[in-house]
Amino acid sequence: MIQPTLPAELKSALDAKLQGLPRSEVAARAALISKTYRDGGGSGAIRSETDALAYALARMPATYAAIAASLNALCEVRPDLAPETLLDVGAGPGTASWAAAQTFASLRSLVLIDDNAALRALALDFVKGSARLGELTYDKGEASDLIAKSDAADLVIASYMIGELGETGRNALAELLWNKTRDTLLIVEPGTPAGYARIIAIRQRLIAAGAHVAAPCPHDGSCPLSAPDWCHFAQRLPRSRAHKQVKGAELPFEDEKFTYVALTRMPTTRPYARVLAQPAVGKAEISAKLCTADGLAMARTPHRDKAAYAHARRWRWGDAVDHSRPPSSCA
Ligand SMILES: C[S@@+](CC[C@H](N)C(=O)[O-])C[C@H]1O[C@@H](n2cnc3c(N)ncnc32)[C@H](O)[C@@H]1O
């Protein structure tokens, strides 16, 4: 399990780059980039070094936290996973590569792909001097062209990237990503209904191509959720002083909502269920919304069942529920 916070080496590289930059300028750029994303635009608004830094300060801690949470969930289901090679597509400032390097001591080759010159330059600055990431390869260009030329990797990640493509490009990219996946493909998206729709479409497409879901779903069947409901999770992370200044935020933490799918070549032993919302803990019972292989279930654990109640109290939104401790009653 890795922490949802930027590794110390990355945080100090980011802090060093921010030294001397007027916060008001970074805040103005961050606000513009956020507005572009909210209006459905992509990373094209990130053109200068200040833009890239503004993105890294405003978004990298949160996207790192979401990727870390997704990798933690994957590793819980696949404790044997020890990838040696990583392909990070739409790598931006290198967020997923840092999270993967923290997670897997086995990684020895990291290849990053992105078309954005400013984000690539910043990523290369961040890894300068890093023992773990200093030797990575970062290719600049259109993802589909570069993936086609890349070697297959044990682990392929596309985080917060596929939303920047149209449907046709996304479908083509999904197939390319899968073709280059030796073991596991992880796709992470914002936890919005649109992010979920993109994930679920790729999930369905790649299952049809032979993929198996390792996480979050405990099955390869159709998603049992229907609109207006959607599958997403939340990861809490602390806010730095600089982040609060740039975002004009008061709270010392933020909750990043995200959605993800980890697809594997070989079937995995899956948990009994995944917790789909923060359980409601009452005096009489704990109720938890679960996704199981048989569909959605509302698990109710009465207080009188002391051992089961104590166990269910530990469930958090996004957790896997083990087969050895299924809920005492499901409806
Ligand atoms: C929102 S950023 C996410 C960066 C990083 N993966 C993260 O999780 O923080 C999306 C990245 O995808 C890249 N990207 C989007 N479409 C691309 C394409 N067709 N080819 C190459 N890179 C692309 C953008 O340049 C940008 O760096």
Side-chain angles (χ1 to χ4, degrees), residues 9 13 22-23 104 164 181 201 218 221-222 241 256 265 271-272 284 321 327:
E9 205 182 6
R23 286 285 183 273
F104 301 109
E164 300 203 4
T181 301
S222 301
R241 186 135 60 94
E256 174 68 5
R265 290 250 162 229
Y272 169 78
V321 177

Side-chain angles (χ1 to χ4, degrees), residues 44-314:
I46 303 170
R47 294 192 194 96
S48 65
E49 186 181 8
T50 307
D51 292 342
L53 267 172
Y55 173 81
L57 178 60
R59 288 297 295 147
M60 200 177 181
T63 61
Y64 181 92
I67 300 161
S70 309
L71 286 170
N72 285 339
L74 165 65
C75 289
E76 207 183 346
V77 178
R78 284 285 312 277
D80 60 313
L81 185 62
E84 294 189 358
T85 51
L86 170 75
L87 184 61
D88 179 0
V89 177
T95 327
S97 292
W98 279 91
Q102 284 291 112
T103 308
F104 301 109
S106 53
L107 273 180
R108 55 172 177 73
S109 155
L110 296 89
V111 175
L112 291 76
I113 288 176
D114 204 295
D115 211 9
N116 188 300
L119 286 169
R120 177 179 179 274
L122 185 63
L124 292 174
D125 266 356
F126 284 160
V127 300
K128 239 185 245 163
S130 162
R132 245 2 262 301
L133 290 116
E135 296 297 310
L136 54 72
T137 303
Y138 198 139
D139 295 326
K140 184 190 171 309
E142 166 55 37
S144 41
D145 297 342
L146 293 178
I147 299 170
K149 291 183 202 143
S150 299
D151 290 336
D154 298 335
L155 176 62
V156 177
I157 305 183
S159 61
Y160 290 82
M161 187 263 178
I162 60 166
E164 300 203 4
L165 308 175
E167 194 182 339
T168 313
R170 210 159 47 233
N171 288 341
L173 187 88
E175 264 148 49
L176 279 171
L177 293 172
W178 184 239
N179 286 342
K180 296 293 174 172
T181 301
R182 266 202 222 109
D183 189 307
T184 303
L185 168 63
L186 173 66
I187 303 181
V188 186
E189 280 289 282
T192 57
Y196 162 73
R198 291 191 285 270
I199 291 271
I200 217 69
I202 288 186
R203 175 188 183 277
Q204 191 179 343
R205 211 177 172 81
L206 295 184
I207 288 172
H212 303 274
V213 182
C217 333
H219 59 86
D220 287 341
S222 301
C223 177
L225 294 175
S226 45
D229 205 355
W230 76 100
C231 182
H232 65 294
F233 305 96
Q235 178 61 57
R236 179 158 291 188
L237 65 144
R239 274 190 162 126
S240 67
R241 186 135 60 94
H243 187 274
K244 282 198 279 183
Q245 284 168 346
V246 160
K247 298 291 273 187
E250 295 288 330
L251 287 174
F253 62 83
E254 60 177 314
D255 290 318
E256 174 68 5
K257 303 268 173 60
F258 67 101
T259 183
Y260 71 101
V261 68
L263 298 160
T264 53
R265 290 250 162 229
M266 302 297 289
T268 53
T269 305
R270 286 183 282 233
Y272 169 78
R274 178 79 48 190
V275 182
L276 289 189
Q278 192 54 33
V281 178
K283 282 203 175 112
E285 66 175 22
I286 295 171
S287 49
K289 181 182 170 189
L290 303 180
C291 181
T292 76
D294 299 324
L296 279 184
M298 190 54 82
R300 299 189 189 286
T301 309
H303 190 254
R304 68 184 132 71
D305 188 347
K306 294 275 185 273
Y309 187 91
H311 184 72
R313 253 195 108 94
R314 292 201 289 273

